[in-house]
Amino acid sequence: EECRRNDTVVLAERRPMDFEEHGVIGGERRAYLTLKFPLLRADGGAYGVWAISTDITTRKRTEEALRHAALAVSQADGEDLVPALTRYLATILKVDLALIGVIEGEGDDRVVRTIGRFGDGVYKENESFLLSTTPCRTVLDGFKCYRSKVREIFPEEKTLGPAGFEGYAGYPLRGDDGRLLGVIAVLSRSPIEDESLVESVLKIFAGRAADEIERRRAEEALRASEEQYRSIFNASVDGMLLWNSS
């Protein structure tokens, strides 16, 4: 019906026209950019329509996903920020698990501690796993994607097999000064198809996640400083005065 309606417009206008048309091909709904123009007789009468269609399904999905990602990042805020980011990330990319984690420790003992993890409809926090055995260790210098067989590539990571994960993609989180803060990653029980889309979405979310990690660390440092001064005052047997000369 959509194609017939557009054909009728072209015949009535008697000029080339562009349309976005849709159809179900192989059981999958797809989008096409179609150029249609009328076929004319010698007397100027139209007797048919010629069409050239280009499949733009992937491009449309990418545009929609990036639009949703930008909207999600701009709207999430406050205490609900990390839960919202992980939930949106899993939903937009249609993966089974999304996580944001900070890297703690030194050398081979470094661990990833999740500040947010959303998978199978459940949100969790503060789960730790050893960095050296996971695919997260390979993304510290930049984006990395394992479209499939991640369980075979990292057999030492015992959690991948029971969970049935097949694909993995991750992006490093860095502060304004370039310091490595953590990772943002997604895992899927089916192969990852559009690697470039996943990278683009992770990059959008990474900036917001890194800002949140730095904000939390600044708050922790401030609380520690306040507690230190409080301890000094509480332990002193002498009177103390803070004087600001400005």
Side-chain angles (χ1 to χ4, degrees):
E1 291 180 359
E2 181 184 46
C3 292
R4 186 179 298 111
R5 184 170 59 252
N6 294 338
D7 291 348
T8 301
V9 174
V10 171
L11 290 173
E13 294 283 339
R14 297 193 180 186
R15 62 183 177 88
M17 301 180 71
D18 290 316
F19 300 93
E20 182 179 313
E21 297 183 326
H22 308 84
V24 178
I25 307 297
E28 181 181 8
R29 184 168 178 80
R30 306 195 68 83
Y32 298 88
L33 180 62
T34 303
L35 168 65
K36 293 189 172 185
F37 52 91
L39 300 176
L40 304 178
R41 302 186 184 90
D43 60 3
Y47 67 90
V49 175
W50 188 272
I52 302 173
S53 296
T54 302
D55 192 326
I56 59 171
T57 306
T58 300
R59 190 185 80 188
K60 293 286 291 183
R61 288 174 179 169
T62 300
E63 291 174 351
E64 182 178 2
L66 294 178
R67 184 168 60 252
H68 286 317
L71 184 62
V73 169
S74 65
Q75 289 183 339
D77 199 8
E79 294 298 324
D80 295 331
L81 174 63
V82 174
L85 288 180
T86 52
R87 185 177 68 253
Y88 283 137
L89 187 58
T91 302
I92 291 170
L93 292 180
K94 299 179 181 179
V95 295
D96 298 290
L97 176 66
L99 67 87
I100 298 172
V102 295
I103 297 177
E104 300 175 337
E106 300 291 339
D108 293 336
D109 295 327
R110 286 186 297 178
V111 299
V112 177
R113 178 178 60 82
T114 60
I115 63 172
R117 175 187 183 276
F118 183 83
D120 297 324
V122 178
Y123 177 76
K124 297 180 180 180
E125 295 178 350
N126 294 321
E127 293 185 340
S128 297
F129 52 89
L130 196 63
L131 176 65
S132 61
T133 62
T134 72
C136 289
R137 73 172 188 259
T138 66
V139 307
L140 303 187
D141 294 324
F143 171 76
K144 189 70 176 179
C145 179
Y146 301 93
R147 294 191 176 192
S148 62
K149 300 182 179 180
V150 68
R151 289 173 294 175
E152 299 175 18
I153 300 173
F154 297 92
E156 65 273 28
E157 180 50 58
K158 304 304 181 182
T159 61
L160 298 175
F165 291 128
E166 184 74 14
Y168 169 94
Y171 199 92
L173 302 178
R174 295 190 176 276
D176 292 336
D177 58 358
R179 288 181 304 118
L180 180 67
L181 302 174
V183 296
I184 183 169
V186 295
L187 294 101
S188 175
R189 294 189 177 95
S190 57
I192 294 176
E193 297 181 358
D194 194 337
E195 182 176 333
S196 61
L197 172 61
V198 173
E199 180 179 7
S200 297
V201 173
L202 283 178
K203 188 175 182 179
I204 292 174
F205 278 76
R208 194 70 176 89
D211 289 343
E212 175 62 12
I213 292 175
E214 289 198 305
R215 184 192 68 80
R216 291 187 179 190
R217 288 187 174 180
E219 285 188 351
E220 291 173 0
L222 179 60
R223 284 195 296 268
S225 177
E226 291 174 344
E227 184 61 31
Q228 183 181 32
Y229 277 109
R230 186 177 297 110
S231 298
I232 293 174
F233 275 94
N234 291 339
S236 176
V237 295
D238 299 318
M240 302 182 69
L241 172 69
L242 287 179
W243 178 268
N244 187 343
S245 60
S246 61

